Amino acid sequence: MTQPVRVHPIVSPWGRFGLYSFYIDAPEPAIVDTGIASSPAEGMIPALEAIGRRIEDVRWILLTHGHIDHIGGAHALWELTGRQAKVVIHQADAPMLRSRRAHVDEYLAGRGQYLTDPDGASRVGAAADAVISGEMEPDLLVQGGETISLGGDVTVSVHSVPGHTPGSVAYVIDGQNDVFVGDAVQVHGAANGFPGFVDPAAYRASLQYLRDDIRPRHLYLGHPYRGADGEPFGVELDETQARRALQESIDVETRVSSAACRCLEAGLEGTTSAYSPFAAVAEDLGYTGDPSLEPSPFFTTLHGYTTHFSNRFERKATHG
């Protein structure tokens, strides 16, 4: 690569969250993640105009995972490029791009089992209808290991980093090690103050892989995740900040894992607590956030430990 490719963050407000996309200023320009339905018109167009670029010229839409605040604007952005941009997503998360109903099914299979909200599924469905600009088939399904050419000598390598979702990926600008991870690095979580991941073992392994093998020179996050002091990291981290965010994420997972394992070993028990049946975990960690606020990472994560570690405890009970 003759000279560094510039990266421009683009922010789109949404409720309690700042949604971040990133413009890769390559010969075939790319946008990483798309916010919600309104983000391309309200956030991306003026941001690109401010740097002398046009949304019509975007040729790649690189999705880090399938959650609505990352894929919601994909169809709208694709339309604004004259349907010329190629949409990329991991095959495991592709159902979330193809179908709004997949987001309701995800809710019912996970956190919805613990939230005592009879209208929960309909609320998730309404949100999907409102913020996903359109169901669509991706142009390119990835698994990790692929290289995507952005024109000239600019290439992006794709790395599977599951945990937050089964199909989370990191995109790395080759030669300068700029790394886009979406929500794969949670630290202490975003606005809800709790890290969210569906597969604890995969999440930890992905963090270690990013820290030890990828070693980002710059790390771009999907939201301003919070450190131990409650203060948010930025979304553009230098090498030192990136290593700190990765290590803190691993340390947080260690603490959550220890608390979850103790709770599971003691046996889940329903109570009147808002954190039921994981009240012991909240108490152990000193977590006082509202577990009912969507996307409810507390229940998403604890359900992940229940699902992925249950066999361990079943075997222990069987063999004494």
Side-chain angles (χ1 to χ4, degrees):
M1 188 180 301
T2 55
Q3 59 184 1
V5 177
R6 295 195 65 183
V7 175
H8 301 272
I10 301 172
V11 63
S12 302
W14 184 45
R16 296 170 295 125
F17 299 94
L19 308 181
Y20 283 85
S21 305
F22 299 93
Y23 176 78
I24 302 176
D25 198 1
E28 295 181 18
I31 286 182
V32 181
D33 288 338
T34 62
I36 59 172
S38 60
S39 298
E42 295 181 6
M44 294 177 193
I45 288 177
L48 294 180
E49 287 177 347
I51 60 171
R53 299 293 185 265
R54 304 188 323 148
I55 203 163
E56 295 89 340
D57 297 330
V58 171
R59 287 297 173 264
W60 293 92
I61 299 171
L62 307 178
L63 303 173
T64 62
H65 65 291
H67 285 162
I68 59 175
D69 53 328
H70 293 259
I71 60 95
H75 191 278
L77 174 56
W78 177 66
E79 290 280 5
L80 287 168
T81 70
R83 300 189 172 187
Q84 296 300 303
K86 294 182 174 64
V87 180
V88 182
I89 194 169
H90 191 284
Q91 63 178 13
D93 279 17
M96 313 291 273
L97 183 65
R98 295 182 177 122
S99 169
R100 292 183 176 94
R101 175 66 200 187
H103 299 268
V104 178
D105 293 341
E106 180 200 42
Y107 170 85
L108 291 172
R111 62 193 185 276
Q113 298 181 42
Y114 311 98
L115 293 165
T116 55
D117 181 1
D119 299 321
S122 61
R123 292 180 198 278
V124 172
D129 288 341
V131 305
I132 295 177
S133 54
E135 299 172 335
M136 65 185 305
E137 182 65 27
D139 296 281
L140 178 61
L141 291 174
V142 295
Q143 295 179 293
E146 299 84 359
T147 298
I148 298 171
S149 173
L150 302 189
D153 59 353
V154 181
T155 59
V156 168
S157 58
V158 183
H159 301 260
S160 176
V161 288
H164 179 65
T165 66
S168 290
V169 298
Y171 297 102
V172 180
I173 301 179
D174 298 321
Q176 63 189 62
N177 234 31
D178 287 353
V179 183
F180 306 86
V181 294
D183 295 348
V185 179
Q186 289 272 312
V187 200
H188 287 260
N192 285 358
F194 202 89
F197 41 88
V198 298
D199 185 334
Y203 177 67
R204 184 179 185 87
S206 294
L207 292 170
Q208 293 170 332
Y209 173 68
L210 288 165
R211 182 193 63 186
D212 300 336
D213 295 277
I214 301 299
R215 302 173 66 87
R217 189 175 303 165
H218 294 99
L219 183 66
Y220 295 92
L221 306 178
H223 306 282
Y225 288 102
R226 305 184 182 208
D229 57 4
E231 291 298 314
F233 282 83
V235 295
E236 303 174 85
L237 309 187
D238 63 23
E239 188 171 3
T240 299
Q241 293 168 329
R243 190 163 185 84
R244 178 188 155 206
L246 289 164
Q247 186 59 55
E248 279 198 29
S249 296
I250 292 169
D251 293 344
V252 170
E253 193 284 323
T254 298
R255 291 195 292 274
V256 175
S257 177
S258 296
C261 287
R262 285 191 291 271
C263 180
L264 290 170
E265 285 177 327
L268 296 181
E269 182 179 353
T271 68
T272 58
S273 168
Y275 304 98
S276 177
F278 307 110
V281 176
E283 183 177 1
D284 201 347
L285 297 173
Y287 180 64
T288 59
D290 184 348
S292 68
L293 289 176
E294 278 294 306
S296 191
F298 179 82
F299 286 124
T300 295
T301 297
L302 271 299
H303 180 70
Y305 285 103
T306 300
T307 300
H308 293 278
F309 290 171
S310 60
N311 289 339
R312 176 197 302 178
F313 298 112
E314 288 173 3
R315 286 195 299 271
K316 181 177 179 180
T318 300
H319 297 292

